[in-house]
Every structure is written in structure tokens, then in C-alpha cells.
């Protein structure tokens, strides 16, 4: 259990402090009058079972992490269940099977009960006393999430203990199955009344999907500060006391206003998505409810479950769609990852496209905006420019007729549909380039390559995470000269990055890629103009040496292997032919089993040698990030920028990195100190 405890400390203490640098309460980023909520105040963040995206739902660890990383007024959500002796516990479901280790304590056979008319089998809370559950520990109930924190052995907590031990600024009780408990001679009404009379517990919200229960308790709380909220389930689900579907009840908000001050609805009620996961026009539900004087809370927000492709796997972008769309704002969001809406609301809402950049971070594209369109196409480059990229990149490949083009790989199989064409018989194995076989650009003419369909990359496809399928074959590829012309006429760009690989092998085949690049740059006027800088990148020192002294181009050495422990002599050698380096994320923060395993000092050592440090590759898909980054690309970027002080990011999704630079508060240097002095010891303590 020692190693698990070490992992827990790493996430709870280290990453909470690190990530919260940019995510604490805003320094006036958005005044209350700018919010389109019912009250005009900022939307609230409701942590469902605490930070249940990382720790087990309703555990002390989950609630504590929510308080550490969420906004100062984060509301803790407790799904209330009743035990056989009438005690109220915080637990996400009637059945204890899935979110606890009850099966290791009791060998009872599952019981079958009717739940809202449906025969349901499991180990129910009503079959155990509170004392019985004292030895039952919580576990992560969503199997796609890490279970490595379950070794902390968090017990099931009562409602009272949850509040008194954590003292949240806001506390929300969700009563999901009053009718079920009543059928088993347990009174949820009596329990709620007893809690409300407890001077040590303050309940700010009570919600339920059952009309009869809320109408029963509403008069009790009419003159109190506790808000009663009606929770909508699926549109075609049937509300048990009225026998109406929830979409039918939605048409009668005036009736709901008679017993509730607000409603909570799945986010799809507000912004529907079609079967292909693309956004549809918003409904009028928020505006309609606000007209009735009802607050609207949106649920079903998760960082680690695929959502609409319109958000480019960026959970901050999704929250902004609900709170800062120019037409309306929900009054609160229910989430498993409270750090993310805290950032959206406190830092990134109401920031215009021309907001000043507060973080000194260079944003370089990786094959353009390759997270949204096939890499190195005109559409990927256009999107990267629109998304605020500083430096547009072109990995140069050579065609059979000697034309330098922009393409992410020399192997056409990786970025085109060539295997479905008549060129599929050109497959060969070239050990000097790669161990597996491929179809290489120098075997086809430029006109041949233009006839191929681009294919979007999906590096996380093994997890069923695919990129923008509607545009998976969109765009056209560009010659280097066309790329330079596009960049040269774009005033928002700081410069271009030209990547050259496999130069030695290509030279043997009669292709002078270095000379071709120099010629194209000269013809585009980059050898004379100073408006945009030119960065030449290669993993070959000999390539960079050919550019050294001939131009004022910045030379960038790409280091393919992990250099976390690079020797000083190695760094001194790099200085001979480069002024910047590209290193991997693992070189800065090594990982072990998808958790951070420490922090190196390689960035500070490289910078001490006057080398700028660029890190690759940043992607939005949560499976590309260590668990320590909470399935949030913005947290990851902040960790590298504020925690490790890197100079730039190379990213598939420039928009996410550009938005990060416009955050609402300056960097806190204390975080860097924390990393330098304490992080490795804590992370490696297990």
C-alpha cells in the first residue's frame, strides 16, 4: 500500500498545487454584470461526489481534491442513500456493488428489488446497517479510470461526517430514490429534516427527480436559504409520481416553479449533439427557465468521456459553450473534474480573441492544426493560423520530381489513402528510414501525390478516440513554396519552422533536400526579410551545420530520445550547432504507468546554456496525458509552462495553447520553487 499512498500524495498535494496556479479565483477576469445567469453572478461549480474523475466517488480523497483544485465556493455533491437503520450515506447508487469493495467483505448473494418498476439485482444499501458498512471501502466505479488510488482505503461516509470533516462552502444533497426507500419503510423526508435541523450541517441545495418528494419538502424550505431543485433524467424516462416523461414535464416549467427554485438537466438538453457527435443548435431551455425565475444547472460533464467533436477534445471549450456563448449562461455545472470548469469560469470566460498574452510561451503547430484536419493540408494550416499559432511548421519531404512538399511523414501510408490506390504496389522496406515497410514520397511525383486523399491522424485510436471524422479526408497538400507564400502573407504569424529529416539517405538517392529548402526560402524572400523568423529543425547535427553561418535562421535540434539525465558535455555539444532544442514531455516529467514519476532539471540546465526549450507533442485527447493532469490539456500545459518554465509547446491543437496564454492571472513563481525543491521526493516516496 506504500506505493499507492505515494501516488495519492503525488496527485493530491503536488499536482493540486501545481495545476491550481492558473485556476484559482480570477483577478477580475469577468465582472458579475457580464454573466447571463439568472442572478447575474458567475455560474457555480458542483463537484459530483467530489473530484470523482480521479478518486472514488464520494470518498474523502475525492472531496478533498475538489476543495483544493476547484473554485473557493465549489459545491460538494452528495448522492444520499439510506442504510437499513436509516442512516444517510454519500454514495452514488442504490447498489453498493460497483463503487465499493463490499464483495470482499460480505459474501451475500445479490438481492432483487423493484426500482421504479424495473427488477434490479445487486447489493443494496437498505440490506446493511451503518455499522455493517464500517469495514467497506470505496473504489473507483468507472473502470476506464485509474484504480491505483483505491489502496487508500477510504470508508463510506455519512452525510453529516462529509460536511463536518470537510466544511465546504456549498453542500448539495441529491435524493434519487425517495419512492424506493418509502416502499421499504425508510423515510428520506425524515432524514432530510433531521439534517436540516443539525446546527453543524448547512445544506445549500436539495435535488430530486421525483416531483412528489420535492412538493412534500418544498414548504419546509420555502423560508430558508436551502434551494430545492428538480432534476430531469432522460427525456423519455418516466417520473414515478406524475407518470409523465421528463420531456413532457419540461413543457410545464410554470408547474415546476411551484415547488422548485431551479432545474438540473443533462447537458444534451441544452446543446444537443447528433449521432455523429457534432453540435446542433441550442435549445431555448435556459432562456425559458430564466423567464420563469428558475435557475438552470447542467449535468453530465466529464473530461474523460468523448464529447462533441466541435470542442476538439478540449473540456474547457465545452464549458465555455455553456457559460460564455453570448446568448445565455447556465447557473451551474455538475462535473467529475471541478478544476476544469473553475478554469473556464474564473479564467477563460469573457476573454476576447485580442486579449493580451500573459504567459511568455511560444506556440508551434505540429503539422498545422492536425488535431482538427489532416496534417499539413491547407485546411490544417488555415485553422492553426485562426487559432493563434505563433510558428507554422512544415516537415519537408521530397517528391520523385525533386519538389519539396510539406508532409508529416516521408511514408505516405501514414497520412494518405495510398494503400487503396494503384500505387499500393510501391511498398518497400528502407532500414535507414524506418524498420517497417512504407511507400515513400520520393517514389511518386508531385502530381501523383496531389491525387491522393489526405487522411487525418488519430494517434489515440486504440482508445476509440478519433479526430473530426466529418473532415477526415479534407484539404489539399502544399508544396514548400506554397506553404511559404501562405505564411509570408499572414501578419499574425511570428515565423515558420522547417523540419528536415532523412537528409543523408535522400542525398544518396540524388535528392538535395537541404539545398531545396534554402532555394525555396530565398525565392520566398525569407533570406532578406526580418518580419518573420525562420526556424530550421532537424535531429541531424550535420543538417543544422549546413545552415549555420549562412543565414540568420534559428537552428533547432530535435532530440528523439529521453534526455532527462543529459550530461553537461552533451549540452555543450548541442550549443555548437543549435540555439534551441526540441525534447519530449517525458524528458521533463517522466511517467510510470501513466503517473508522473518525478521531475528532471533538464529544462533549467538547457536554458542555463542559453538554449531555448521546446517540448512536444501536446494533444488534447485525455489518454495522451498522465493522470496527474486530470484529463485536461490546459492543466498539462500549465504544468509545463508554470511548473517547468519551458519556452514553447509543439501542439496538434494550437487553440488550446493560445487560449492558455490569455489566462486571467500572472504566473505564480512559488510553483516553480515547489517543483524544484519538493516534487521528486514526494513523487518517489512510494
Amino acid at each position: 500500500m506504500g506505493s499507492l499512498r505515494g501516488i495519492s500524495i503525488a496527485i493530491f498535494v503536488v499536482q493540486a498545487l501545481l495545476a491550481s496556479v492558473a485556476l484559482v479565483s480570477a483577478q477580475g477576469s469577468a465582472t458579475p454584470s457580464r454573466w447571463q445567469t439568472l442572478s447575474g453572478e458567475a455560474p457555480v461549480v458542483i463537484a459530483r461526489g467530489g473530484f470523482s474523475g480521479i478518486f472514488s466517488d464520494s470518498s474523502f480523497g475525492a472531496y478533498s481534491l475538489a476543495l483544493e483544485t476547484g473554485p473557493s465556493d465549489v459545491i460538494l455533491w452528495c448522492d444520499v442513500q439510506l442504510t437499513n437503520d436509516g442512516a444517510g450515506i454519500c454514495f452514488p447508487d442504490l447498489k453498493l456493488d460497483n463503487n465499493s469493495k463490499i464483495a470482499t467483505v460480505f459474501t451475500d448473494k445479490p438481492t432483487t428489488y423493484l426500482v421504479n418498476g424495473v427488477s434490479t439485482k445487486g447489493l443494496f444499501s437498505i440490506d446493511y446497517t451503518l455499522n455493517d458498512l464500517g469495514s467497506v471501502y470505496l473504489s473507483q466505479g468507472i473502470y476506464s479510470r485509474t484504480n491505483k488510488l483505491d489502496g487508500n482505503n477510504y470508508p463510506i461516509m455519512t452525510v453529516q461526517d462529509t460536511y463536518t470533516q470537510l466544511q465546504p462552502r456549498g453542500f448539495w444533497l441529491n435524493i434519487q430514490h425517495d419512492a424506493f426507500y418509502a416502499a421499504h419503510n425508510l423515510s428520506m423526508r425524515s432524514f432530510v429534516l433531521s439534517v436540516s435541523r443539525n446546527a453543524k450541517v448547512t445544506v445549500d441545495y436539495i435535488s430530486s427527480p421525483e416531483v412528489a418528494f420535492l412538493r412534500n419538502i418544498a414548504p419546509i424550505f420555502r423560508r430558508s436559504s436551502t434551494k430545492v431543485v428538480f432534476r430531469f433524467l432522460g427525456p423519455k424516462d418516466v417520473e414515478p409520481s406524475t407518470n409523465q416523461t421528463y420531456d413532457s414535464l419540461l413543457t410545464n416549467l410554470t408547474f415546476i416553479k411551484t415547488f422548485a427554485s431551479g432545474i438540473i438537466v443533462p447537458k444534451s438538453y441544452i446543446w444537443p449533439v447528433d449521432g455523429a457527435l457534432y453540435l446542433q443548435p441550442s435549445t431555448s431551455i435556459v432562456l425559458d427557465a430564466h423567464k420563469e425565475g428558475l435557475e438552470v444547472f447542467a449535468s453530465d460533464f466529464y473530461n474523460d468521456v468523448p464529447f462533441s467533436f466541435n470542442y476538439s477534445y478540449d473540456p474547457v471549450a465545452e464549458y465555455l459553450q455553456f457559460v460564455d456563448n453570448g446568448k445565455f449562461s447556465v447557473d451551474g455545472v455538475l462535473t467529475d473534474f471541478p478544476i476544469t470548469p473553475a478554469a473556464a469560469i474564473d479564467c477563460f470566460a469573457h476573454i476576447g480573441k485580442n486579449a493580451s498574452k500573459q504567459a511568455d510561451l511560444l506556440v508551434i503547430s505540429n503539422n498545422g492544426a492536425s488535431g482538427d484536419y489532416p496534417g499539413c493540408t491547407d485546411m490544417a494550416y488555415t485553422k492553426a493560423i485562426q487559432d493563434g499559432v505563433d510558428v507554422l511548421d512544415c516537415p519537408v519531404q521530397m517528391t520523385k520530381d525533386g519538389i519539396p512538399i510539406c508532409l508529416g511523414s516521408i511514408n505516405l501510408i501514414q497520412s494518405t489513402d495510398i494503400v487503396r490506390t494503384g500505387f499500393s504496389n510501391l511498398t518497400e522496406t528502407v532500414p535507414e528510414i524506418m524498420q517497417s515497410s512504407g511507400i515513400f514520397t520520393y517514389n511518386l511525383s508531385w502530381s501523383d501525390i496531389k491525387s491522393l486523399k489526405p487522411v487525418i491522424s488519430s494517434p489515440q485510436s486504440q482508445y476509440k478516440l478519433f479526430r473530426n471524422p466529418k473532415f477526415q479526408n479534407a484539404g489539399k497538400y502544399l508544396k514548400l513554396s506554397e506553404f511559404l507564400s501562405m505564411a509570408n502573407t499572414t501578419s499574425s504569424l511570428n515565423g515558420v519552422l522547417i523540419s528536415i529529416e532523412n537528409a543523408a539517405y535522400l542525398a544518396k538517392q540524388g535528392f538535395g533536400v537541404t539545398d531545396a529548402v534554402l532555394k525555396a526560402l530565398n525565392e520566398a524572400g525569407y533570406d532578406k526579410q526580418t518580419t518573420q523568423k525562420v526556424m530550421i529543425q532537424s535531429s541531424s547535427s550535420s543538417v543544422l551545420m549546413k545552415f549555420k553561418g549562412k543565414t540568420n535562421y534559428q537552428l533547432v535540434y530535435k532530440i528523439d530520445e529521453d534526455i532527462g539525465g543529459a550530461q553537461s558535455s552533451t549540452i555543450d555539444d548541442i550549443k555548437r550547432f543549435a540555439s534551441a532544442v526540441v525534447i519530449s514531455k517525458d524528458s521533463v516529467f517522466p511517467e510510470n504507468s501513466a503517473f508522473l514519476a518525478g521531475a528532471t532539471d533538464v529544462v533549467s540546465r538547457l536554458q542555463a546554456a542559453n538554449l531555448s526549450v521546446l517540448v512536444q507533442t501536446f494533444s488534447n485527447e485525455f489518454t495522451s496525458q498522465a493522470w496527474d493532469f486530470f484529463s485536461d490539456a490546459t492543466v498539462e500545459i500549465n504544468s509545463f509552462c508554470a511548473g517547468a518554465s519551458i519556452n514553447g509547446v509543439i501542439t496538434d491543437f494550437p487553440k488550446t495553447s493560445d487560449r492558455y496564454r490569455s489566462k486571467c492571472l500572472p504566473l505564480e513563481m512559488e510553483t516553480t520553487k515547489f517543483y524544484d525543491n519538493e516534487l521528486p521526493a514526494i513523487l518517489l516516496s512510494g
Side-chain angles (χ1 to χ4, degrees):
M1 193 174 80
S3 61
L4 292 175
R5 183 174 182 275
I7 293 172
S8 171
I9 291 173
I11 290 182
F12 186 17
V13 180
V14 180
Q15 199 56 36
L17 290 175
L18 176 65
S20 63
V21 168
L23 310 180
V24 297
S25 296
Q27 297 179 353
S29 65
T31 57
S33 61
R34 301 179 68 180
W35 292 106
Q36 293 175 297
T37 56
L38 182 63
S39 66
E41 300 290 335
V44 297
V45 175
I46 310 151
R48 191 188 71 86
F51 209 129
S52 51
I54 297 294
F55 285 100
S56 51
D57 192 306
S58 306
S59 67
F60 183 84
Y63 285 130
S64 298
L65 188 58
L67 294 175
E68 287 288 333
T69 60
S72 59
D73 58 351
V74 64
I75 298 168
L76 298 188
W77 169 285
C78 165
D79 285 297
V80 182
Q81 314 299 337
L82 295 179
T83 63
N84 183 265
D85 48 348
I89 58 173
C90 292
F91 197 85
D93 192 60
L94 278 169
K95 300 189 299 176
L96 304 177
D97 312 53
N98 193 42
N99 206 74
S100 78
K101 299 180 180 179
I102 191 168
T104 66
V105 178
F106 297 100
T107 58
D108 302 351
K109 292 182 179 179
T111 306
T112 300
Y113 291 115
L114 282 178
V115 180
N116 289 343
V118 178
S119 180
T120 307
K121 181 184 290 187
L123 302 176
F124 288 78
S125 64
I126 61 171
D127 291 326
Y128 302 91
T129 66
L130 181 61
N131 186 62
D132 292 336
L133 299 180
S135 56
V136 175
Y137 297 122
L138 295 167
S139 61
Q140 179 55 259
I142 298 178
Y143 299 144
S144 60
R145 295 172 177 171
T146 181
N147 62 358
K148 292 187 177 181
L149 304 177
D150 291 350
N152 290 283
N153 289 339
Y154 290 116
I156 294 173
M157 300 173 68
T158 66
V159 171
Q160 290 89 336
D161 286 346
T162 299
Y163 185 89
T164 56
Q165 290 181 28
L166 293 149
Q167 294 293 311
R169 289 276 297 275
F171 196 39
W172 188 308
L173 301 184
N174 181 54
I175 313 300
Q176 194 81 354
H177 295 289
D178 171 66
F180 172 82
Y181 288 112
H184 295 274
N185 299 316
L186 291 168
S187 174
M188 191 63 79
R189 181 182 188 275
S190 297
F191 172 76
V192 169
L193 284 175
S194 69
V195 173
S196 67
R197 292 167 181 162
N198 187 334
K200 296 181 179 180
V201 178
T202 300
V203 178
D204 300 280
Y205 297 86
I206 298 174
S207 62
S208 176
E210 298 183 14
V211 170
F213 173 71
L214 292 184
R215 295 186 74 183
N216 189 290
I217 68 166
I220 301 169
F221 296 102
R222 191 156 287 149
R223 296 184 179 179
S224 75
S225 60
T226 302
K227 295 182 179 181
V228 175
V229 179
F230 180 57
R231 185 179 189 186
F232 283 79
L233 302 181
K236 300 305 178 184
D237 290 338
V238 176
E239 194 282 319
S241 59
T242 63
N243 204 33
Q244 295 184 52
T245 59
Y246 285 96
D247 60 356
S248 175
L249 286 168
L250 191 61
T251 64
N252 197 353
L253 295 175
T254 303
F255 167 65
I256 293 172
K257 177 62 178 174
T258 63
F259 59 85
S261 64
I263 59 174
I264 181 167
V265 298
K267 64 187 181 184
S268 59
Y269 275 51
I270 301 169
W271 284 99
V273 295
D274 61 20
L277 290 183
Y278 285 92
L279 277 183
Q280 301 299 292
S282 62
T283 67
S284 63
I285 181 174
V286 177
L287 294 174
D288 293 344
H290 283 175
K291 286 179 183 177
E292 292 289 343
L294 289 165
E295 290 185 299
V296 181
F297 305 93
S299 65
D300 296 357
F301 287 95
Y302 319 99
N303 289 6
D304 58 349
V305 174
F307 36 92
S308 172
F309 289 112
N310 297 76
Y311 304 126
S312 300
Y313 288 103
D314 182 350
V316 171
E318 182 182 35
Y319 286 107
L320 290 174
Q321 186 83 349
F322 283 80
V323 303
D324 186 24
N325 58 58
K327 296 180 180 179
F328 60 81
S329 172
V330 297
D331 300 279
V333 292
L334 178 63
T335 175
D336 290 14
F337 295 83
I339 192 172
T340 304
I345 294 166
D346 285 347
C347 291
F348 300 121
H350 306 139
I351 292 179
K353 290 192 68 174
N354 297 321
S356 60
K357 312 300 184 186
Q358 296 192 43
D360 185 15
L361 183 71
L362 192 68
V363 177
I364 304 171
S365 65
N366 180 51
N367 303 332
S370 56
D372 294 299
Y373 295 101
C376 297
T377 61
D378 57 340
M379 296 186 72
Y381 286 133
T382 300
K383 181 69 162 60
I385 292 168
Q386 293 171 346
D387 289 348
V389 74
D390 295 317
V391 177
L392 204 62
D393 76 305
C394 169
V396 175
Q397 315 299 340
M398 297 298 292
T399 67
K400 185 177 181 179
D401 43 352
I403 296 175
I405 65 173
C406 298
L407 202 63
S409 171
I410 194 173
N411 180 9
L412 290 163
I413 293 175
Q414 295 181 359
S415 56
T416 73
D417 69 338
I418 195 167
V419 294
R420 300 187 185 92
T421 71
F423 301 114
S424 60
N425 62 340
L426 296 178
T427 302
E428 62 177 334
T429 301
V430 181
E432 294 94 330
I433 295 177
M434 56 192 297
Q435 294 304 309
S436 57
S437 60
I439 303 175
F440 301 104
T441 60
Y442 55 78
N443 286 325
L444 278 78
S445 68
W446 172 231
S447 61
D448 290 336
I449 292 175
K450 284 196 299 182
S451 71
L452 303 175
K453 285 185 179 180
V455 175
I456 198 168
S457 67
S458 290
Q460 302 300 313
S461 59
Q462 68 269 36
Y463 302 107
K464 307 300 181 185
L465 299 180
F466 300 95
R467 292 177 172 177
N468 206 4
K470 189 182 290 187
F471 296 92
Q472 62 182 325
N473 301 119
K476 63 179 183 178
Y477 290 121
L478 304 178
K479 294 185 292 186
L480 175 58
S481 59
E482 294 171 327
F483 167 85
L484 292 173
S485 178
M486 170 188 279
N488 214 350
T489 56
T490 304
S491 59
S492 63
L493 286 177
N494 291 348
V496 295
L497 182 148
I498 309 300
S499 177
I500 302 173
E501 300 296 341
N502 305 304
Y505 178 80
L506 289 171
K508 294 178 183 177
Q509 311 306 310
F511 299 105
V513 60
T514 302
D515 291 337
V517 168
L518 278 168
K519 181 182 178 183
L521 287 168
N522 292 344
E523 290 178 348
Y526 276 92
D527 58 329
K528 299 181 180 65
Q529 64 109 325
T530 58
T531 304
Q532 292 184 353
K533 65 180 177 181
V534 175
M535 305 170 74
I536 304 295
Q537 173 187 301
S538 180
S539 59
S540 168
S541 60
S542 60
V543 168
L544 298 180
M545 290 296 286
K546 289 183 179 180
F547 284 87
K548 189 174 179 64
K550 294 183 180 179
T551 64
N552 59 352
Y553 302 156
Q554 183 180 13
L555 306 183
V556 182
Y557 184 51
K558 180 184 177 184
I559 305 173
D560 292 322
E561 67 272 11
D562 177 6
I563 64 158
Q567 299 295 317
S568 297
S569 58
T570 301
I571 295 174
D572 290 338
D573 187 52
I574 294 172
K575 285 175 58 179
R576 293 189 303 106
F577 52 82
S579 61
V581 295
V582 173
I583 62 176
S584 67
K585 292 191 293 187
D586 273 357
S587 293
V588 183
F589 297 131
E591 286 187 28
N592 182 14
S593 301
F595 284 92
L596 296 188
T600 72
D601 62 353
V602 68
V603 174
S604 60
R605 293 172 59 213
L606 289 166
Q607 290 172 340
N610 293 320
L611 290 166
S612 296
V613 180
L614 312 174
V615 178
Q616 69 173 18
T617 303
F618 287 83
S619 300
N620 284 358
E621 292 97 336
F622 61 90
T623 49
S624 71
Q625 304 147 13
W627 283 109
D628 307 66
F629 301 130
F630 306 138
S631 302
D632 185 337
T634 301
V635 173
E636 182 182 42
I637 295 165
N638 182 64
S639 302
F640 279 84
C641 181
S645 299
I646 67 173
N647 300 105
V649 297
I650 298 173
T651 174
D652 299 344
F653 297 89
K655 186 174 184 178
T656 302
S657 296
D658 179 60
R659 186 192 59 220
Y660 165 76
R661 299 183 296 183
S662 300
K663 60 191 185 307
C664 60
L665 71 166
L667 300 178
E668 298 286 349
M669 290 301 102
E670 181 181 351
T671 300
T672 304
K673 178 175 181 287
F674 188 89
Y675 251 74
D676 290 343
N677 296 337
E678 295 182 44
L679 176 62
I682 294 177
L683 279 169
L684 301 176
S685 63

